[in-house]
Amino acid sequence: MSRELFWLAITLVVTVITNFIPGGRVLILPELFVALMILLYWAAKPGAELDKPVAVQATGPGDDKVHTWPHLVRSEFLCAIFITLGLILWSLVVDAPLEEPANPTRTPNPSKAPWYFLGLQEMLVFFDPWHAGVVLPTFIIVGLMAIPYIDINPAGNGYYAYESRKYEILTFFLGFHILWVSLIIIGTFLRGPGWNWFWPWEVWDSHKIEALTNVNLHYIFGIRSEAGAIIFGAVVVLGYFVVGTAAMYWAIVRMKGQEFMHRWGMPRFVLTSFLFLNLMSVVIKMVLRHAGNIMYVWQTPWINF
Amino acid sequence: MSKWEETKRQITESQVWQSIFRHGYDDTPGNRVQMVSGNVWLHLHPSKVRRHAIRMRFTWCMGGITFLMFLVTVVTGVYLMFYYRPTAEYAYADMKYLEFDMPFGMFMRNMHRWAAHGMVIAVWLHMFRVFLTGSYKPPREFNWVVGVILLVLTMLLSFTGYLLPWDQLSIWAVTVGSNMARATPLLGYEGPFADWTGANPIYDARAFLFGGGEIGPHTLLRFYILHCIFIPLVASLFMAVHFWRIRRDGFSGPPV
Ligand code: HEM
């Protein structure tokens, strides 16, 4: 009983709070919704007697199942109540942004894509738009879809298993946390006018000019002619993929053995190493750029890489 | 039998009552199963689940939260649609109208927007959890693929909605976000090999998305229809497949 009282108290608190917020006095709709959820939650409370045998059963092998109603349904309602409450409170306190009316002739500086695409916008620093905006997203989507088909490790199916899935988890971590999420954070908070880097304590100076000292890789190697640059870049990029694939082959055989490679098969290996090398190419280009001011690795009149 | 019991019996045994509710509410194993299997919404669940699968630590609740956020945007979105006209003359004014004149207007708009952002975050976390528990492994490979499609659709839903307020924030964010389309190899006029395919500013991938060479009223209508009708429909279809597959395969879990 005390649990239900607890929930009732929460609704009351919310009601009181909303009534003190200007305009909040008419907010009966969301409260009704929450009240309904609480009612359902209460309806789905587990009955003590029925659950004992299940709990005893669960210690033995075989069937460890419990009834969906009330056990799962209750957690779902509970979760829904919390989240809905949070969302209601948030929506009462924070207003959705609305700036001046659209004006196609006045480009704001900086113009930022919606935050969830800022990782890709950040990629524009390192790659040409066709690469950052089209090729990379395609690889991300294809790569994500390919995961279940290239990961044939039967361990860790349906439970947390870090030890036996070290490399899989590290790769996902690199792609998701480092390249996707942290670049969004950078794009949101640290990029200002001209897409220049501003620390949070710096003022956004739209006249800030950063010396463009970037050079292309072939230039560093003393190559000046167009044809030379094309050939040089082709050798470097193709070489990266050929050597990289060979290195991956060697590393995987060393780590998992020839037998694994055989079971895994060529198509899986080639797809995996191709995607992985592309992932690493993003890291490499970021490092080259930040540490060595290198713009393109392969420059041609048609495309740059 | 007290008067109260008598009335209750009369109600629950009436034809009307029994035509609606098909089982009693006593806490018996049979009723517990019927609660789920006899209810169109709840029967998305199996009637029994494995104990580990209902732990917060296992699911993080994130798939469910994604769905909840979707439902919130549907409800609040319908409300907004009553007052919003997707034309360049009215769109922005209707935002102001919602804010200052409509009961719940600003609140509904806030809820819609924050739920949409919440959905994007929740779907990422859901994917992360499914990855960490290795739940994409056989037999759930294809449901992961369906999930990736849902992930893309979620972001497209949010992106198309971004344009609708028709303010500086929205048109420029959408311009920046769509500019990549004009760089598509072969299909975009600024992309590699555009000369060869003849892609030009008013006839290329971005113009197809925008409904014209530049972002404008035509884009607003196009994004509105994508946002309110097309993508929600497609996403609902894929969610149906997603849920159906989970129902068939059961939640993943360690071998019994
Ligand atoms: C609109 C987006 C989505 C919705 C509404 C949704 C909903 C759900 C729900 C409610 C579950 C039940 C378990 C849980 O809550 O964790 C689930 C499971 C699952 N989801 Fe999603 N999901 C979405 C997107 C995704 C994405 C992006 C992926 C992966 C890329 C994915 C892959 C899966 C898989 C493989 C399962 C089975 C997990 C298991 O059996 O343990 N879903 N989804």
Side-chain angles (χ1 to χ4, degrees), chain B residues 156-157 160-161 208-209 219-233:
Chain B
L156 287 182
L157 262 179
T160 48
F208 176 70
L209 190 67
T219 320
L220 185 55
L221 183 61
R222 191 162 282 225
F223 272 46
Y224 175 75
I225 291 168
L226 287 174
H227 182 73
C228 303
I229 297 173
F230 185 73
I231 306 179
L233 260 177

Side-chain angles (χ1 to χ4, degrees), chain B residues 44-55:
Chain B
L44 272 175
H45 302 100
S47 51
K48 281 182 142 196
V49 284
R50 286 177 60 191
R51 198 167 266 277
H52 75 90
I54 59 177
R55 298 233 164 92

Side-chain angles (χ1 to χ4, degrees), chain A residues 56-76:
Chain A
V56 173
Q57 239 177 17
T59 56
D63 184 21
D64 68 339
K65 289 187 169 173
V66 290
H67 282 112
T68 301
W69 179 289
H71 296 280
L72 175 58
V73 176
R74 186 178 49 125
S75 322
E76 287 173 351

Side-chain angles (χ1 to χ4, degrees), chain B residues 63-64 126 129-130 135 140 144 147-148 150 242-243 246 251-252:
Chain B
H126 172 55
R129 172 314 266 188
V130 172
S135 302
R140 298 181 186 79
W144 169 275
V148 176
L150 283 170
H242 198 61
F243 295 161
I246 300 164
F251 291 123
S252 64

Side-chain angles (χ1 to χ4, degrees), chain A residues 154-172:
Chain A
N157 182 347
Y159 52 95
Y160 298 102
Y162 300 107
E163 204 42 53
S164 54
R165 299 177 63 218
K166 235 184 329 219
Y167 298 104
E168 293 92 320
I169 290 177
L170 279 178
T171 312
F172 198 83

